[in-house]
Structure formats: C-alpha cells, structure tokens
mmCIF file of all heavy atoms in Angstrom:
data_model
loop_
_atom_site.group_PDB
_atom_site.id
_atom_site.type_symbol
_atom_site.label_atom_id
_atom_site.label_comp_id
_atom_site.label_asym_id
_atom_site.label_seq_id
_atom_site.Cartn_x
_atom_site.Cartn_y
_atom_site.Cartn_z
ATOM 1 N N LEU A 24 18.729 -10.231 0.869
ATOM 2 C CA LEU A 24 18.105 -11.430 1.439
ATOM 3 C C LEU A 24 18.227 -12.559 0.433
ATOM 4 O O LEU A 24 17.749 -12.438 -0.690
ATOM 5 C CB LEU A 24 16.625 -11.186 1.747
ATOM 6 C CG LEU A 24 16.315 -10.387 2.991
ATOM 7 C CD1 LEU A 24 14.817 -10.121 3.078
ATOM 8 C CD2 LEU A 24 16.787 -11.105 4.235
ATOM 9 N N PRO A 25 18.849 -13.661 0.815
ATOM 10 C CA PRO A 25 19.017 -14.772 -0.128
ATOM 11 C C PRO A 25 17.743 -15.602 -0.239
ATOM 12 O O PRO A 25 16.863 -15.531 0.610
ATOM 13 C CB PRO A 25 20.138 -15.589 0.504
ATOM 14 C CG PRO A 25 19.979 -15.349 1.974
ATOM 15 C CD PRO A 25 19.495 -13.926 2.101
ATOM 16 N N GLY A 26 17.669 -16.371 -1.284
ATOM 17 C CA GLY A 26 16.574 -17.320 -1.447
ATOM 18 C C GLY A 26 15.371 -16.741 -2.158
ATOM 19 O O GLY A 26 15.316 -15.565 -2.497
ATOM 20 N N ALA A 27 14.405 -17.618 -2.370
ATOM 21 C CA ALA A 27 13.154 -17.244 -3.033
ATOM 22 C C ALA A 27 12.032 -17.241 -2.009
ATOM 23 O O ALA A 27 12.078 -17.971 -1.022
ATOM 24 C CB ALA A 27 12.850 -18.214 -4.164
ATOM 25 N N TRP A 28 10.996 -16.438 -2.285
ATOM 26 C CA TRP A 28 9.941 -16.186 -1.300
ATOM 27 C C TRP A 28 8.560 -16.290 -1.935
ATOM 28 O O TRP A 28 8.396 -16.068 -3.125
ATOM 29 C CB TRP A 28 10.118 -14.797 -0.698
ATOM 30 C CG TRP A 28 11.459 -14.614 -0.084
ATOM 31 C CD1 TRP A 28 12.592 -14.148 -0.694
ATOM 32 C CD2 TRP A 28 11.837 -14.947 1.243
ATOM 33 N NE1 TRP A 28 13.641 -14.156 0.182
ATOM 34 C CE2 TRP A 28 13.210 -14.637 1.379
ATOM 35 C CE3 TRP A 28 11.153 -15.458 2.336
ATOM 36 C CZ2 TRP A 28 13.892 -14.831 2.571
ATOM 37 C CZ3 TRP A 28 11.840 -15.653 3.516
ATOM 38 C CH2 TRP A 28 13.197 -15.345 3.631
ATOM 39 N N ASP A 29 7.568 -16.575 -1.107
ATOM 40 C CA ASP A 29 6.155 -16.504 -1.459
ATOM 41 C C ASP A 29 5.551 -15.384 -0.620
ATOM 42 O O ASP A 29 5.815 -15.303 0.589
ATOM 43 C CB ASP A 29 5.420 -17.804 -1.114
ATOM 44 C CG ASP A 29 5.850 -18.992 -1.951
ATOM 45 O OD1 ASP A 29 6.457 -18.790 -3.020
ATOM 46 O OD2 ASP A 29 5.568 -20.122 -1.529
ATOM 47 N N PHE A 30 4.748 -14.513 -1.239
ATOM 48 C CA PHE A 30 4.098 -13.435 -0.496
ATOM 49 C C PHE A 30 2.986 -12.829 -1.333
ATOM 50 O O PHE A 30 2.920 -13.031 -2.542
ATOM 51 C CB PHE A 30 5.095 -12.343 -0.083
ATOM 52 C CG PHE A 30 5.875 -11.756 -1.213
ATOM 53 C CD1 PHE A 30 5.389 -10.657 -1.916
ATOM 54 C CD2 PHE A 30 7.097 -12.284 -1.580
ATOM 55 C CE1 PHE A 30 6.109 -10.115 -2.971
ATOM 56 C CE2 PHE A 30 7.826 -11.746 -2.631
ATOM 57 C CZ PHE A 30 7.336 -10.660 -3.329
ATOM 58 N N THR A 31 2.109 -12.091 -0.662
ATOM 59 C CA THR A 31 1.105 -11.291 -1.350
ATOM 60 C C THR A 31 1.323 -9.836 -0.944
ATOM 61 O O THR A 31 1.808 -9.552 0.155
ATOM 62 C CB THR A 31 -0.342 -11.708 -1.004
ATOM 63 O OG1 THR A 31 -0.522 -11.602 0.401
ATOM 64 C CG2 THR A 31 -0.623 -13.120 -1.460
ATOM 65 N N LEU A 32 0.975 -8.940 -1.842
ATOM 66 C CA LEU A 32 1.137 -7.516 -1.605
ATOM 67 C C LEU A 32 -0.132 -6.823 -2.073
ATOM 68 O O LEU A 32 -0.521 -6.955 -3.235
ATOM 69 C CB LEU A 32 2.353 -7.009 -2.377
ATOM 70 C CG LEU A 32 2.757 -5.562 -2.168
ATOM 71 C CD1 LEU A 32 3.200 -5.325 -0.721
ATOM 72 C CD2 LEU A 32 3.884 -5.183 -3.118
ATOM 73 N N SER A 33 -0.786 -6.110 -1.163
ATOM 74 C CA SER A 33 -2.010 -5.403 -1.496
ATOM 75 C C SER A 33 -1.819 -3.923 -1.202
ATOM 76 O O SER A 33 -1.400 -3.547 -0.111
ATOM 77 C CB SER A 33 -3.170 -5.967 -0.666
ATOM 78 O OG SER A 33 -4.381 -5.384 -1.069
ATOM 79 N N PHE A 34 -2.121 -3.078 -2.204
ATOM 80 C CA PHE A 34 -1.906 -1.642 -2.054
ATOM 81 C C PHE A 34 -2.903 -0.883 -2.919
ATOM 82 O O PHE A 34 -3.616 -1.454 -3.735
ATOM 83 C CB PHE A 34 -0.461 -1.268 -2.416
ATOM 84 C CG PHE A 34 -0.046 -1.642 -3.818
ATOM 85 C CD1 PHE A 34 -0.087 -0.719 -4.845
ATOM 86 C CD2 PHE A 34 0.383 -2.931 -4.099
ATOM 87 C CE1 PHE A 34 0.300 -1.069 -6.128
ATOM 88 C CE2 PHE A 34 0.778 -3.290 -5.378
ATOM 89 C CZ PHE A 34 0.733 -2.359 -6.401
ATOM 90 N N SER A 35 -2.949 0.423 -2.727
ATOM 91 C CA SER A 35 -3.810 1.303 -3.519
ATOM 92 C C SER A 35 -3.019 1.813 -4.711
ATOM 93 O O SER A 35 -1.808 1.968 -4.639
ATOM 94 C CB SER A 35 -4.260 2.489 -2.663
ATOM 95 O OG SER A 35 -4.865 2.039 -1.473
ATOM 96 N N THR A 36 -3.717 2.089 -5.799
ATOM 97 C CA THR A 36 -3.026 2.611 -6.972
ATOM 98 C C THR A 36 -2.566 4.043 -6.714
ATOM 99 O O THR A 36 -3.130 4.747 -5.871
ATOM 100 C CB THR A 36 -3.937 2.607 -8.212
ATOM 101 O OG1 THR A 36 -5.022 3.507 -7.986
ATOM 102 C CG2 THR A 36 -4.441 1.218 -8.530
ATOM 103 N N ALA A 37 -1.553 4.478 -7.448
ATOM 104 C CA ALA A 37 -1.069 5.850 -7.323
ATOM 105 C C ALA A 37 -2.178 6.830 -7.677
ATOM 106 O O ALA A 37 -2.278 7.906 -7.096
ATOM 107 C CB ALA A 37 0.147 6.060 -8.213
ATOM 108 N N GLY A 38 -3.042 6.464 -8.615
ATOM 109 C CA GLY A 38 -4.150 7.315 -9.015
ATOM 110 C C GLY A 38 -5.118 7.607 -7.882
ATOM 111 O O GLY A 38 -5.740 8.666 -7.848
ATOM 112 N N GLN A 39 -5.252 6.676 -6.949
ATOM 113 C CA GLN A 39 -6.137 6.913 -5.815
ATOM 114 C C GLN A 39 -5.627 8.056 -4.953
ATOM 115 O O GLN A 39 -6.409 8.761 -4.338
ATOM 116 C CB GLN A 39 -6.290 5.639 -4.980
ATOM 117 C CG GLN A 39 -7.137 4.591 -5.684
ATOM 118 C CD GLN A 39 -7.159 3.283 -4.944
ATOM 119 O OE1 GLN A 39 -6.268 2.468 -5.099
ATOM 120 N NE2 GLN A 39 -8.169 3.096 -4.124
ATOM 121 N N PHE A 40 -4.313 8.252 -4.892
ATOM 122 C CA PHE A 40 -3.750 9.375 -4.146
ATOM 123 C C PHE A 40 -3.914 10.661 -4.937
ATOM 124 O O PHE A 40 -4.207 11.704 -4.398
ATOM 125 C CB PHE A 40 -2.263 9.134 -3.855
ATOM 126 C CG PHE A 40 -2.042 8.034 -2.864
ATOM 127 C CD1 PHE A 40 -1.708 6.761 -3.285
ATOM 128 C CD2 PHE A 40 -2.187 8.272 -1.513
ATOM 129 C CE1 PHE A 40 -1.524 5.746 -2.371
ATOM 130 C CE2 PHE A 40 -1.999 7.262 -0.595
ATOM 131 C CZ PHE A 40 -1.667 5.995 -1.025
ATOM 132 N N GLN A 41 -3.742 10.596 -6.257
ATOM 133 C CA GLN A 41 -3.811 11.775 -7.111
ATOM 134 C C GLN A 41 -5.242 12.263 -7.297
ATOM 135 O O GLN A 41 -5.465 13.414 -7.601
ATOM 136 C CB GLN A 41 -3.191 11.467 -8.474
ATOM 137 C CG GLN A 41 -1.721 11.147 -8.374
ATOM 138 C CD GLN A 41 -1.180 10.476 -9.612
ATOM 139 O OE1 GLN A 41 -1.915 10.171 -10.548
ATOM 140 N NE2 GLN A 41 0.111 10.206 -9.619
ATOM 141 N N ASN A 42 -6.222 11.379 -7.124
ATOM 142 C CA ASN A 42 -7.619 11.735 -7.367
ATOM 143 C C ASN A 42 -8.365 12.128 -6.105
ATOM 144 O O ASN A 42 -9.558 11.922 -5.999
ATOM 145 C CB ASN A 42 -8.345 10.577 -8.057
ATOM 146 C CG ASN A 42 -7.829 10.344 -9.447
ATOM 147 O OD1 ASN A 42 -7.381 11.274 -10.105
ATOM 148 N ND2 ASN A 42 -7.870 9.110 -9.892
ATOM 149 N N GLY A 43 -7.630 12.653 -5.130
ATOM 150 C CA GLY A 43 -8.293 13.189 -3.951
ATOM 151 C C GLY A 43 -8.443 12.229 -2.808
ATOM 152 O O GLY A 43 -9.003 12.594 -1.786
ATOM 153 N N ALA A 44 -7.963 11.007 -2.932
ATOM 154 C CA ALA A 44 -7.991 10.110 -1.786
ATOM 155 C C ALA A 44 -7.021 10.676 -0.764
ATOM 156 O O ALA A 44 -6.149 11.466 -1.078
ATOM 157 C CB ALA A 44 -7.572 8.706 -2.197
ATOM 158 N N ARG A 45 -7.182 10.253 0.457
ATOM 159 C CA ARG A 45 -6.287 10.768 1.487
ATOM 160 C C ARG A 45 -4.864 10.412 1.150
ATOM 161 O O ARG A 45 -4.595 9.385 0.565
ATOM 162 C CB ARG A 45 -6.699 10.231 2.847
ATOM 163 C CG ARG A 45 -8.072 10.754 3.181
ATOM 164 C CD ARG A 45 -8.600 10.422 4.499
ATOM 165 N NE ARG A 45 -7.964 9.313 5.168
ATOM 166 C CZ ARG A 45 -8.390 8.828 6.288
ATOM 167 N NH1 ARG A 45 -9.430 9.326 6.853
ATOM 168 N NH2 ARG A 45 -7.775 7.822 6.859
ATOM 169 N N GLY A 46 -3.945 11.273 1.514
ATOM 170 C CA GLY A 46 -2.556 11.194 1.081
ATOM 171 C C GLY A 46 -1.779 9.989 1.542
ATOM 172 O O GLY A 46 -2.258 9.160 2.292
ATOM 173 N N GLU A 47 -0.548 9.914 1.062
ATOM 174 C CA GLU A 47 0.360 8.809 1.337
ATOM 175 C C GLU A 47 0.407 8.535 2.825
ATOM 176 O O GLU A 47 0.659 9.395 3.637
ATOM 177 C CB GLU A 47 1.753 9.147 0.833
ATOM 178 C CG GLU A 47 2.791 8.165 1.244
ATOM 179 C CD GLU A 47 3.482 7.535 0.066
ATOM 180 O OE1 GLU A 47 3.180 7.878 -1.077
ATOM 181 O OE2 GLU A 47 4.323 6.687 0.320
ATOM 182 N N GLY A 48 0.151 7.284 3.175
ATOM 183 C CA GLY A 48 0.253 6.872 4.562
ATOM 184 C C GLY A 48 -0.984 7.200 5.382
ATOM 185 O O GLY A 48 -0.980 7.005 6.591
ATOM 186 N N ALA A 49 -2.034 7.717 4.752
ATOM 187 C CA ALA A 49 -3.231 8.059 5.518
ATOM 188 C C ALA A 49 -3.876 6.805 6.075
ATOM 189 O O ALA A 49 -3.913 5.777 5.446
ATOM 190 C CB ALA A 49 -4.227 8.791 4.620
ATOM 191 N N ARG A 50 -4.377 6.920 7.291
ATOM 192 C CA ARG A 50 -5.030 5.789 7.930
ATOM 193 C C ARG A 50 -6.419 6.199 8.374
ATOM 194 O O ARG A 50 -6.698 7.366 8.575
ATOM 195 C CB ARG A 50 -4.232 5.330 9.153
ATOM 196 C CG ARG A 50 -2.953 4.646 8.818
ATOM 197 C CD ARG A 50 -2.261 4.251 10.118
ATOM 198 N NE ARG A 50 -1.117 3.429 9.916
ATOM 199 C CZ ARG A 50 0.001 3.793 9.306
ATOM 200 N NH1 ARG A 50 0.104 4.978 8.776
ATOM 201 N NH2 ARG A 50 1.019 2.976 9.189
ATOM 202 N N LYS A 51 -7.282 5.215 8.576
ATOM 203 C CA LYS A 51 -8.605 5.492 9.129
ATOM 204 C C LYS A 51 -8.442 6.116 10.505
ATOM 205 O O LYS A 51 -7.512 5.800 11.235
ATOM 206 C CB LYS A 51 -9.407 4.196 9.276
ATOM 207 C CG LYS A 51 -9.943 3.660 7.978
ATOM 208 C CD LYS A 51 -10.807 2.458 8.273
ATOM 209 C CE LYS A 51 -11.389 1.910 6.997
ATOM 210 N NZ LYS A 51 -12.210 0.748 7.241
ATOM 211 N N GLN A 52 -9.354 6.983 10.860
ATOM 212 C CA GLN A 52 -9.317 7.563 12.185
ATOM 213 C C GLN A 52 -9.665 6.485 13.193
ATOM 214 O O GLN A 52 -10.631 5.759 13.045
ATOM 215 C CB GLN A 52 -10.318 8.722 12.292
ATOM 216 C CG GLN A 52 -9.978 9.896 11.409
ATOM 217 C CD GLN A 52 -8.643 10.509 11.768
ATOM 218 O OE1 GLN A 52 -8.253 10.555 12.926
ATOM 219 N NE2 GLN A 52 -7.922 10.978 10.760
ATOM 220 N N SER A 53 -8.861 6.362 14.210
ATOM 221 C CA SER A 53 -9.137 5.396 15.273
ATOM 222 C C SER A 53 -8.620 5.977 16.571
ATOM 223 O O SER A 53 -8.007 7.032 16.589
ATOM 224 C CB SER A 53 -8.455 4.052 14.971
ATOM 225 O OG SER A 53 -7.063 4.200 15.019
#
C-alpha cells in the first residue's frame, strides 16, 4: 500500500493471553 497513514491500534498484551485470559481471538459471549 503506497503512501503514509494515520491510525490507532488497540490490543491486549501477549501476557494477558499467557496469564489465563481467554485465548487468541476470544470474544465476549453474545
């Protein structure tokens, strides 16, 4: 993709997955 971009990225730390948080891609039950 050419050009420069503005964006924000919000995510959980890898430690949150390793410390018993629900696994990669886990979502709230809905």
Side-chain angles (χ1 to χ4, degrees):
L24 283 175
W28 304 90
D29 293 342
F30 55 89
T31 58
L32 185 64
S33 186
F34 58 97
S35 306
T36 65
Q39 288 173 276
F40 291 99
Q41 296 164 356
N42 293 330
R45 296 184 341 186
E47 172 121 2
R50 288 180 172 65
K51 284 185 179 179
Q52 295 298 325
S53 66

